[in-house]
Amino acid sequence: MEGPDSQEPKRTEDDSVPPSALVPKRRTWLVLLIVLLVLGGGVTAVVLLVRGATDPMTVLVAVELEGPWWHGSKPSAIIADRVAERLEALGFKPLKAGDPELTALLEDAESPEQAAKAVGAAFVIGGRLEPQVIEHPLERAYFETRVQGTITLTPVGEAAADVGEVSSWSGAPARETALELLARALADKVFDAAIPAIMADPRLTQMIAGPVEDKARVGLARGYVELRAKSLSTARAAYDALPLERKAKELSRHEVRYHGAFDRNVALAAVSEKGVLLREVRWRPFFSPGKNELAYHDELERLLWLSPDGAREEVIFEGYNIFGYPDADAKGQRVVLIEDLFGAARAITLLEGTAAAKRLRVDGRRWPGEPKVSPDGSRVALWDRACRRCPARLLVLALPNAEQLFASEEGETSLAGFTWLGPSTIAMLERPAPAKGSDTDDDSAHASARGEQRLVEVELSTDPVRTVVLHTSVAGESYGPPTCSRDGRYVAMTRYGDYAAGLAVFDRTEKKLSVHSTDVRVERPVLSPDGTTVAFQTSGDIALLALADGKLTRLTRNPFVERYPLFSRDGRRVWFESQSRDPSFDRKNLGVAASVTLP
């Protein structure tokens, strides 16, 4: 179940901060000590604090995010406060951030562990998290933050142990606000990493097996950890059972291979000589301390190459809010993706070899999307909009310098799709722009009601850029986004008309459009490298159509949603996405890369 405990922070107004987060600055303890001494009780208070006996239920939270809270870090104080609140609800006695005496001890101690020992704490939850903060050059200031690090648990008198990895991200117009949002998103992850390790410590297990008073003190925490373990185990078992369940429900005579784990949503982005480019959207089940039920944390998304045989993975990017599908050139040397920076801006980002990701453009006004890299990697073409739902134009940039090479007229026509025919040639499908006042740029079959569509060839190697109309639709028909054969001769499109979705193939050599009738609906057609066969999705399955004789072959037949087929570079395998519902979270879809070897 999704809820506030499981969501990453969005760009919001600053929330209120508890008073304990407003921690004293360094060395303010001297002033406090003088005041206590003047009042006559200072020495006694400090001595009692230092001589406290060790209590297994007392915990010091000392996670550092831009420094420790006792040195004035507000983000660290937010983490300490929120983790302390969770611990206190389970019967622990967490030491409070901002307490003057504790602050004085921590500032004067060699380590948090030394201070914890002095006040009788049994555990220190620690970790030094170093956030990355990026200020974007927009009209209005905007700060992006992200962090990934290790949480440790130190039983006082023993060595620290790593208990889990945490990561999160945030964005806001003010740097301070972005870091505070980051801290709020991290707090429950810190708690979730630490609490099982605390309860597994011998001091706590002895209390569980000890006298009635000890059992009562630790009862809430024990029940919480046991329910947490049971919930996570049930979720894991449900994911582990999916491969066999899928195999049992596949009715096709062709062997379907699934690649990767059934606990994430995988998008099939591109196929190159390097393999298959995948985008992974991942989430990690966790037990929500706020709701006492199974929830999830969104983790950093990943882009990775899956080797042509499907056996090896190479992660090339980790980030968040990847907008749409990335793409790569034919050799897999350059990858272009779009990042959505919390709605404040979009970034066109280039990945090349082992170099760090390079943001070619960061724009708070335009909405680029669905990049397509030319076969030789010298250019990238994109859908480009003035607003999220505005009609799109075609935009072409040079790589790697992002110089603008071409942009179709904005407002006069609307882009309906495009494909690279060669290193410098594009086939672009356009239609009349929607009427003024319309808030949609729909690609559906009803687009024909807005007027004729045109398939246009765009040649970028000439000066000026040359455009030639290849084909114009007739009344009552429209087309879906085009794809082409490797040599650029054939262009395939879904043809909408007569209440059906069929296949249309344009031959650039013969200057002729042919319509292929089938008994099934044709969506998202792609041509084989040699241009003789089309793979497409139909009612949630994947099928093949031989263009020469019209033979139809179903590659899958199951209750799952399978879509977006792509041929392997050698044409011997068809890759596609296979999706189903997450067994633990109704609002989530699972997706895995799948393939069928052709007979």
Side-chain angles (χ1 to χ4, degrees), residues 35-55:
V35 173
L36 287 171
L37 288 171
V38 170
L39 294 175
V43 174
T44 303
V46 173
V47 170
L48 289 176
L49 184 66
V50 173
R51 292 181 179 176
T54 299
D55 180 358

Side-chain angles (χ1 to χ4, degrees), residues 383 392-394 408 413-419 426-432 443 452-458 471-473 478-483 491-494 496:
W383 296 66
R393 66 173 182 172
L394 176 66
S408 58
T413 60
S414 177
L415 183 66
F418 63 90
T419 185
I426 294 175
M428 171 179 67
L429 186 65
E430 63 179 16
R431 58 173 179 259
D443 281 331
E452 66 183 25
Q453 285 183 306
R454 301 188 305 168
L455 183 64
V456 180
E457 181 177 306
V458 181
H471 178 76
T472 301
S473 65
S478 63
Y479 302 108
T483 62
V491 178
M493 302 171 286
T494 297
Y496 300 104

Side-chain angles (χ1 to χ4, degrees), residues 249-269:
K249 293 178 180 179
E250 179 56 64
L251 302 179
S252 170
R253 63 185 180 86
H254 301 280
E255 181 183 1
V256 178
R257 291 182 59 191
Y258 297 111
H259 308 270
F262 286 90
D263 60 357
R264 62 201 65 183
N265 196 352
V266 172
L268 183 62

Side-chain angles (χ1 to χ4, degrees), residues 302-570:
R302 304 195 308 174
L303 292 183
L304 58 92
W305 284 111
L306 184 66
S307 60
D309 60 2
R312 299 177 306 281
E313 294 182 355
E314 178 191 355
V315 177
I316 60 173
F317 178 81
E318 286 189 311
Y320 62 90
N321 292 348
I322 299 175
F323 186 65
Y325 282 66
D327 194 45
D329 63 34
K331 292 185 177 181
Q333 295 176 340
R334 285 178 172 168
V335 174
V336 176
L337 64 140
I338 308 298
E339 296 179 87
D340 181 4
L341 306 179
F342 303 97
R346 273 63 53 196
I348 302 173
T349 302
L350 172 66
L351 307 176
E352 186 168 11
T354 58
K358 179 182 179 182
R359 286 176 173 169
L360 304 177
R361 286 190 177 188
V362 179
D363 195 330
R365 291 173 173 256
R366 307 291 304 185
W367 286 85
E370 304 302 322
K372 295 292 181 185
V373 182
S374 62
D376 65 349
S378 64
R379 302 169 176 88
V380 60
L382 312 97
W383 296 66
D384 183 55
R385 292 178 167 89
C387 68
R388 188 161 195 166
R389 295 181 62 84
C390 289
R393 66 173 182 172
L394 176 66
L395 175 67
V396 184
L397 306 177
L399 294 178
N401 60 12
E403 175 190 355
Q404 181 170 312
L405 302 177
F406 175 77
S408 58
E409 291 295 329
E410 191 162 49
E412 295 184 7
T413 60
S414 177
L415 183 66
F418 63 90
T419 185
W420 284 99
L421 302 172
S424 63
T425 312
I426 294 175
M428 171 179 67
L429 186 65
E430 63 179 16
R431 58 173 179 259
K436 288 185 178 181
S438 173
D439 63 349
T440 182
D441 192 33
D442 188 16
D443 281 331
S444 71
H446 303 293
S448 60
R450 297 204 297 270
E452 66 183 25
Q453 285 183 306
R454 301 188 305 168
L455 183 64
V456 180
E457 181 177 306
V458 181
E459 180 54 58
L460 300 165
S461 63
T462 61
D463 187 13
V465 172
R466 177 174 55 87
T467 60
V468 177
V469 177
L470 300 177
H471 178 76
T472 301
S473 65
V474 298
E477 71 173 0
S478 63
Y479 302 108
T483 62
C484 70
S485 56
R486 186 176 299 172
D487 62 6
R489 175 174 176 175
Y490 300 102
V491 178
M493 302 171 286
T494 297
R495 177 185 178 273
Y496 300 104
D498 302 324
Y499 305 100
L503 175 69
V505 177
F506 185 82
D507 185 334
R508 292 175 63 223
T509 300
E510 299 293 332
K511 310 295 184 185
K512 179 182 178 182
L513 183 86
S514 57
V515 176
H516 299 260
S517 299
T518 66
D519 295 330
V520 297
R521 185 177 180 87
V522 176
E523 296 281 2
R524 296 286 180 170
V526 290
L527 282 154
S528 60
D530 62 6
T532 62
T533 308
V534 172
F536 60 94
Q537 65 187 54
T538 178
S539 302
D541 285 316
I542 303 298
L544 287 179
L545 180 69
L547 296 179
D549 58 10
K551 180 182 178 182
L552 183 69
T553 303
R554 282 187 174 268
L555 298 182
T556 66
R557 190 187 297 270
N558 57 52
F560 315 118
V561 176
E562 292 173 335
R563 62 183 191 176
Y564 303 162
L566 291 174
F567 280 92
S568 61
R569 291 291 293 177
D570 61 11

Side-chain angles (χ1 to χ4, degrees), residues 24 27-37 42 99-101 103-104:
R27 298 301 177 191
T28 55
W29 69 274
L30 290 172
V31 177
L32 293 168
L33 182 57
I34 290 171
V35 173
L36 287 171
L37 288 171
D99 178 85
E101 291 87 356
T103 300

